[in-house]
């Protein structure tokens, strides 16, 4: 449910909503939601000084109702 809600929010922010994907992973510290967007939309999702990303994390934390949930915006353009 959290992944779908986050995906819906991010799709409303970006210019290429078809390239948005959110993947949920379970880890030692709780659930992690990885957000992947088109490289040109990365700045739009992060926002100025990270304000948009912080707001998305706040909304997801409120929806999680006490569970440990992390939101990571993944840079798909970065080479490994």
């Amino acid at each position: 449910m959290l992944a779908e809600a986050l995906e819906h929010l991010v799709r409303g922010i970006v210019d290429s909503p078809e390239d948005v994907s959110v993947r949920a992973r379970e880890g030692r510290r709780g659930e992690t939601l990885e957000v992947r967007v088109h490289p040109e939309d990365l700045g739009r999702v992060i926002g100025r000084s990270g304000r948009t990303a912080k707001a998305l994390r706040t909304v997801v934390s409120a929806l999680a109702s006490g569970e440990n949930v992390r939101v990571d915006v993944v840079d798909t353009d970065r080479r490994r």
Side-chain angles (χ1 to χ4, degrees):
M1 180 199 119
L2 292 175
E4 292 86 10
L6 179 60
E7 185 171 342
H8 179 74
L9 290 171
V10 173
R11 283 180 189 265
I13 296 171
V14 298
D15 289 333
S16 302
E18 64 277 355
D19 291 335
V20 173
S21 69
V22 177
R23 190 176 106 191
R25 293 185 326 168
E26 279 295 325
R28 291 181 292 144
R29 296 160 54 185
E31 187 176 16
T32 301
L33 301 175
E34 290 183 349
V35 179
R36 295 179 188 272
V37 296
H38 191 276
E40 292 179 6
D41 289 327
L42 190 60
R44 191 178 287 269
V45 173
I46 294 172
R48 191 172 283 177
S49 299
R51 289 183 186 155
T52 305
K54 184 177 178 183
L56 289 170
R57 289 181 179 110
T58 301
V59 170
V60 169
S61 294
L63 290 173
S65 63
E67 297 176 26
N68 282 342
V69 178
R70 296 180 60 214
V71 175
D72 290 340
V73 179
V74 180
D75 185 2
T76 56
D77 213 21
R78 185 174 44 178
R79 305 282 183 236
R80 290 187 180 194

